[in-house]
Every structure is written in structure tokens, then in C-alpha cells.
Amino acid sequence: MIGSIIKSTGSWYLIRNDKGEIFNSKLRGKFKISNHNLSNPIATGDEVEFDEDKNNLGNYIINKILPRNNYLIRKSIKKKNNGHIIASNINQAIIISSLKNPFTKSGFIDRFLISCFAYRIPALVIYNKKDILNKKEKNRLNQEIDYYKKIGFNSLSISAKFDKKIKKLKSILKNKTSLFIGNSGVGKSTLINRLSYNANQKTSEISKKSNKGKHRTTFSQIFDIDKKTKIIDTPGIKTFELFDIEKNQIKNYFPEFIKINDKCKFNNCLHINEPSCEIKKEIDKSIWRRRYNNYLSIIRDF
Ligand SMILES: Nc1nc2c(ncn2[C@@H]2O[C@H](COP(=O)(O)OP(=O)(O)OP(=O)(O)O)[C@@H](O)[C@H]2O)c(=O)[nH]1
Ligand SMILES: [Mg+2]
Ligand SMILES: [Zn+2]
């Protein structure tokens, strides 16, 4: 039988076939070994071949993953040489961020955008919790949004809790499979509960002490908004470390660098300390200093 993974816990998986039937399944043992550089051989969104376990009727065993159209991957937290697939077969990935309670670091957003670019997944930046911002913070946020839009990433601000309609977001999601990722507590599950008729995700208040989320969602799972519109909810993560991306390629994943990259004196210029670097001349002009600083910090991770 063939179906797709709608929930993955790392030890067992829910598969749904195209009739909408759900199967509880596990991986065949040898499967894990053949995918040795991944901390999770199977991810939410994967299409798989599976059979009933003859020794344990009512339980199912995954035999094979069908080729993935795409996937988003980050460095595993536990094993630094491994990658962790966040989800596969998606149309777009959305980082849900917030400026307050919790504060999403710009380095997280930019690392996410690089990975999406490198793995050819359209990426969006959505800022939630607009309702708790004062005027000054809203102005700052609008500038961020404008910059991300200018360099080709759709971006907007919303309030999952107080917006009467989230029309714009709904039209962005329409007829697509979208991945939601972000820090714990930014409101991913709250949003999904508002958007999906079958989602009843538990949400949790922000810790008053740290202004951070409490890691309420523990497994990634697909929810239907309608027949063709799906969202994948994922557990909150602190940051997004790049996996399998080369240091000297990073500059090509900053859209605002692309036209300038070749104008530097040295064609292998990394835009750090090299003389006659055109990228550095553009800082505070066409290049936002914060993006350049994040670029440097990513380069220094290597
Ligand atoms: N003020 C305000 N609070 C919000 C908004 N959206 C969500 N919240 C609150 O933020 C808290 C965290 O929301 P969740 O939906 O659990 O966050 P999450 O991103 O799913 O967090 P994890 O599952 O831990 O990754 C809850 O108390 C929500 O009610 C919003 O737009 N405005
Ligand atoms: Mg959640
Ligand atoms: Zn340069």
C-alpha cells in the first residue's frame, strides 16, 4: 500500500492513504541503518510504501520511501554530523516569528531563509503577535517586512489571537502544503487551530520568567484546511543550523548579494576583509546591516 506520513514521532508514524484511512506504523529495522547520516530516516510529508505486519495484525510496517520532491533539513541537535529532515514534499516553508514573547532572533530567520533557498523551497516570514507591539515596534516591524519583501521573500504581520480575519494569510496558504516552523511560543499551533477544522493542537502560555515558550508541540503533524490546503505544525526550535551547505556558497543564498557578488575585486571574495569589496560598500545602502552581520556570523560558524 501507499500513503503519506501525516505524523512522525521518530519511533512510530501515522500514514494516511488517499481514501483518508489512517494506519499506525513503524519502520522496518534495517531501514534505519541505510540512512546513516540522517537522525530521522522518515519525515512528515514522506510518501511511503507499507504493509500490514503479519506477526502483529493491525500494525503496519514501512518498507520504502518514495522519491521526495523536496525536503527541508537542518543540522541535528544531538548528532552534529547528522541532518534532521523537518518535512518533505512541501510547497512552501513559513517561519512564524514574533518580536516579543518570545523574541525571534534575526539569525534564526536568515539561516532558515538560506536553507530554503539552498533546498529550493519558497520561503516566507510571518510575524505573529502584532497585537502586543506598540507603535514604535510596529514601525520597526514594517521596515523588516518591507526589506524581506524587497529581496523576494513574502512577509506580513498578523495576530493569530485578535485578527478578525486572516484573509491574506489564508490566500497565501490556499491549495498548498505549507510548513510552519519557529521558536516555541510564537503561536504556530494557535494559528493552525484557527485555520484548520480538524486541528485541536494544545497551546501553552509563555513562561513569565523567560518570556519563552514551553515546547508544547512535540511531534510534527499535517493538518487539513481543506482538501488541497495543508499545514504542517512542528515543535518549536531555538535556531536553524545549516546542513550540507558549503561556506563559499552562502553568499549566493542572499538574494540581495547576487547582482553584486561578481563585482568585487576578487571573484572568490567572501565579503569579509578583502580589499575592494563591493558588498561591503553597499551596507546601509541596498544591504541591510543586520543581514550582512548575520552573513558574517554564519560564515564564522564554519
Ligand atoms: N497576544 C497574542 N498571543 C498569542 C498570539 N498567538 C498565540 N498567542 C499565545 O502564545 C502562546 C503560545 O502559543 P502556541 O500556539 O502554543 O505556540 P507554538 O508556536 O505552537 O509553540 P510550541 O508548540 O511550543 O512550538 C499561547 O498562550 C497563545 O495563546 C497572538 O497573535 N497574540
Ligand atoms: Mg505548538
Ligand atoms: Zn566582496
Side-chain angles (χ1 to χ4, degrees):
M1 292 181 279
I2 288 191
S4 49
I5 305 287
I6 57 164
K7 179 171 183 173
S8 110
T9 70
S11 54
W12 56 270
Y13 307 86
L14 286 185
I15 305 175
R16 183 168 58 187
N17 67 10
D18 55 6
K19 287 187 204 142
E21 296 162 327
I22 310 267
F23 303 86
N24 211 324
S25 68
K26 292 203 162 168
L27 277 184
R28 199 171 280 292
K30 67 176 184 198
F31 207 106
K32 291 174 191 162
I33 304 157
S34 60
N35 290 282
H36 55 274
N37 67 341
L38 293 178
S39 57
N40 60 333
I42 296 233
T44 303
D46 276 343
E47 297 261 303
V48 294
E49 246 177 51
F50 65 104
D51 285 313
E52 190 162 19
D53 184 351
K54 294 199 177 66
N55 303 320
N56 193 0
L57 294 180
N59 288 285
Y60 293 81
I61 296 193
I62 299 168
N63 295 313
K64 193 177 165 187
I65 315 179
L66 303 187
R68 296 176 170 122
N69 294 333
N70 62 20
Y71 56 92
L72 188 62
I73 189 167
R74 67 174 181 129
K75 201 181 273 181
S76 160
I77 299 292
K78 291 176 204 140
K79 287 188 180 169
K80 289 288 175 193
N81 294 325
N82 282 7
H84 184 90
I85 300 187
I86 298 170
S88 68
N89 300 321
I90 52 177
N91 299 111
Q92 58 190 6
I94 303 178
I95 182 165
I96 310 292
S97 320
S98 63
L99 288 196
K100 261 184 31 201
N101 305 346
F103 170 71
T104 300
K105 289 184 181 161
S106 64
F108 180 12
I109 298 175
D110 290 337
R111 281 175 175 81
F112 161 80
L113 293 175
I114 290 169
S115 295
C116 289
F117 201 142
Y119 285 85
R120 296 191 192 83
I121 294 167
L124 292 88
V125 185
I126 291 187
Y127 295 88
N128 190 30
K129 307 202 182 187
K130 183 172 70 173
D131 55 282
I132 56 172
L133 302 182
N134 63 33
K135 212 170 170 192
K136 204 172 147 199
E137 290 161 336
K138 272 186 194 154
N139 284 338
R140 219 191 85 202
L141 179 58
N142 285 334
Q143 286 176 358
E144 293 197 14
I145 289 173
D146 286 345
Y147 186 86
Y148 281 123
K149 277 177 152 173
K150 194 183 79 184
I151 60 170
F153 300 109
N154 200 357
S155 180
L156 73 156
S157 64
I158 54 167
S159 168
K161 232 175 169 175
F162 295 104
D163 278 350
K164 287 208 180 66
K165 290 182 187 163
I166 17 183
K167 247 180 147 177
K168 239 189 187 170
L169 178 60
K170 280 185 182 159
S171 76
I172 287 170
L173 301 171
K174 189 83 191 153
N175 296 339
K176 292 191 168 123
T177 298
S178 305
L179 169 68
F180 278 10
I181 80 160
N183 293 135
S184 177
V186 292
K188 300 178 290 300
S189 301
T190 306
L191 252 180
I192 288 173
N193 285 342
R194 272 207 65 182
L195 291 161
S196 164
Y197 66 91
N198 66 351
N200 186 15
Q201 286 287 73
K202 294 202 172 77
T203 62
S204 150
E205 281 183 12
I206 302 302
S207 146
K208 289 205 172 71
K209 238 179 165 180
S210 67
N211 280 334
K212 287 181 180 156
K214 294 176 184 166
H215 293 277
R216 193 66 189 92
T217 305
T218 44
F219 303 128
S220 64
Q221 187 171 355
I222 297 191
F223 292 96
D224 297 347
I225 299 184
D226 57 46
K227 241 182 163 180
K228 289 186 179 166
T229 310
K230 298 175 199 312
I231 306 177
I232 304 178
D233 194 9
T234 62
I237 54 178
K238 282 206 182 79
T239 185
F240 197 109
E241 288 208 48
L242 309 184
F243 182 74
D244 211 10
I245 297 178
E246 281 176 38
K247 181 179 178 180
N248 59 10
Q249 284 295 323
I250 303 288
K251 61 181 182 182
N252 299 321
Y253 301 132
F254 278 71
E256 66 270 59
F257 290 10
I258 287 172
K259 278 192 192 142
I260 316 168
N261 270 331
D262 297 338
K263 293 188 178 158
C264 298
K265 185 172 175 191
F266 299 105
N267 60 12
N268 57 355
C269 187
L270 280 179
H271 319 313
I272 305 171
N273 289 318
E274 298 91 336
S276 303
C277 172
E278 295 299 316
I279 290 281
K280 286 185 86 170
K281 287 182 200 158
E282 279 302 311
I283 298 169
D284 292 332
K285 293 177 192 161
S286 68
I287 294 172
W288 184 11
R289 183 173 290 274
R290 190 180 90 177
R291 289 270 294 170
Y292 176 73
N293 287 340
N294 284 337
Y295 168 75
L296 284 187
S297 125
I298 291 159
I299 290 286
R300 285 179 187 136
D301 285 346
F302 282 86

Coordinates of all heavy atoms in Angstrom, one line a residue, residues 183-190 192 201-204 215-219 233-236, ligand 2:
N183 N 10.3 29.5 16.7 CA 10.6 29.3 18.2 C 9.4 28.7 18.9 O 8.3 29.0 18.4 CB 11.0 30.6 18.8 CG 12.3 31.2 18.4 OD1 12.4 32.4 18.1 ND2 13.3 30.4 18.3
S184 N 9.6 28.1 20.0 CA 8.5 27.7 20.8 C 7.8 29.0 21.3 O 8.4 29.9 21.7 CB 9.0 26.9 22.0 OG 7.9 26.6 22.9
G185 N 6.4 28.9 21.2 CA 5.6 30.0 21.8 C 5.3 31.1 20.9 O 4.6 32.1 21.2
V186 N 5.7 31.1 19.6 CA 5.4 32.1 18.7 C 3.9 32.1 18.2 O 3.4 33.0 17.6 CB 6.3 32.2 17.4 CG1 7.7 32.6 17.8 CG2 6.3 30.9 16.7
G187 N 3.3 30.9 18.4 CA 1.9 30.8 18.0 C 1.6 30.0 16.8 O 0.5 30.1 16.2
K188 N 2.4 29.0 16.5 CA 2.2 28.2 15.3 C 0.9 27.4 15.5 O 0.1 27.3 14.6 CB 3.4 27.2 15.2 CG 4.7 27.9 14.9 CD 5.9 26.9 14.8 CE 6.3 26.2 16.1 NZ 6.7 27.1 17.2
S189 N 0.8 26.7 16.7 CA -0.4 25.9 16.9 C -1.6 26.7 17.0 O -2.7 26.3 16.6 CB -0.1 25.0 18.1 OG 1.0 24.2 17.9
T190 N -1.5 27.8 17.7 CA -2.7 28.7 17.8 C -3.2 29.1 16.4 O -4.4 29.0 16.1 CB -2.3 30.0 18.5 OG1 -1.7 29.7 19.8 CG2 -3.5 30.9 18.8
I192 N -2.8 27.4 13.6 CA -3.3 26.2 12.9 C -4.7 25.9 13.5 O -5.6 25.5 12.7 CB -2.3 25.0 13.0 CG1 -1.1 25.3 12.1 CG2 -2.9 23.7 12.7 CD1 0.1 24.4 12.2
Q201 N -4.8 21.4 18.4 CA -3.5 21.4 19.0 C -3.5 22.1 20.4 O -4.0 23.1 20.5 CB -2.5 22.1 18.0 CG -2.1 21.3 16.8 CD -1.2 20.1 17.1 OE1 -1.7 19.1 17.7 NE2 0.0 20.2 16.7
K202 N -2.8 21.4 21.3 CA -2.6 22.1 22.6 C -1.7 23.3 22.5 O -0.7 23.2 21.7 CB -2.1 21.1 23.6 CG -3.1 19.9 23.8 CD -2.8 19.3 25.2 CE -3.9 18.3 25.5 NZ -3.7 17.0 24.8
T203 N -2.0 24.3 23.2 CA -1.1 25.5 23.1 C -0.8 25.8 24.6 O -1.4 25.3 25.5 CB -1.8 26.7 22.5 OG1 -2.9 27.1 23.3 CG2 -2.2 26.4 21.1
S204 N 0.3 26.6 24.8 CA 0.7 26.8 26.1 C 1.2 28.3 26.3 O 1.8 28.8 25.4 CB 1.8 25.8 26.5 OG 2.6 26.3 27.4
H215 N 7.6 24.6 24.8 CA 7.7 23.5 23.9 C 6.5 22.6 24.0 O 6.5 21.4 24.4 CB 9.0 22.7 24.2 CG 10.2 23.5 23.8 ND1 10.7 23.5 22.5 CD2 11.0 24.4 24.5 CE1 11.7 24.4 22.5 NE2 11.9 24.9 23.6
R216 N 5.3 23.2 23.7 CA 4.1 22.5 23.8 C 3.9 21.4 22.8 O 3.5 20.3 23.1 CB 2.9 23.5 23.7 CG 1.6 22.9 24.1 CD 1.6 22.7 25.6 NE 0.5 21.9 26.1 CZ 0.5 20.6 26.2 NH1 1.4 19.9 25.8 NH2 -0.6 20.0 26.8
T217 N 4.2 21.7 21.5 CA 4.1 20.7 20.5 C 5.3 19.9 20.4 O 6.4 20.4 20.4 CB 3.9 21.5 19.1 OG1 2.8 22.3 19.2 CG2 3.7 20.5 18.0
T218 N 5.1 18.5 20.4 CA 6.3 17.7 20.5 C 6.5 16.9 19.2 O 7.6 16.3 19.0 CB 6.2 16.7 21.7 OG1 4.9 16.2 21.8 CG2 6.5 17.5 23.0
F219 N 5.5 16.8 18.4 CA 5.6 16.0 17.1 C 5.2 16.8 16.0 O 4.3 17.7 16.1 CB 4.8 14.7 17.2 CG 5.0 13.8 18.3 CD1 4.0 13.4 19.1 CD2 6.3 13.4 18.6 CE1 4.3 12.6 20.2 CE2 6.6 12.6 19.7 CZ 5.6 12.2 20.5
D233 N 2.4 21.4 11.3 CA 2.8 22.0 12.6 C 4.0 21.3 13.1 O 4.1 20.1 12.9 CB 1.7 21.9 13.6 CG 1.9 22.8 14.9 OD1 2.8 23.6 14.8 OD2 1.1 22.6 15.8
T234 N 5.0 22.0 13.6 CA 6.2 21.4 14.1 C 6.5 21.9 15.5 O 6.1 22.9 15.9 CB 7.4 21.7 13.2 OG1 7.6 23.1 13.2 CG2 7.2 21.3 11.7
P235 N 7.3 21.1 16.2 CA 7.7 21.5 17.6 C 8.6 22.8 17.5 O 9.4 22.9 16.5 CB 8.6 20.3 18.1 CG 8.2 19.2 17.2 CD 7.9 19.8 15.9
G236 N 8.5 23.7 18.4 CA 9.4 24.9 18.4 C 10.9 24.5 18.5 O 11.3 23.6 19.1
Ligands
MG2 MG 2.8 24.3 19.0

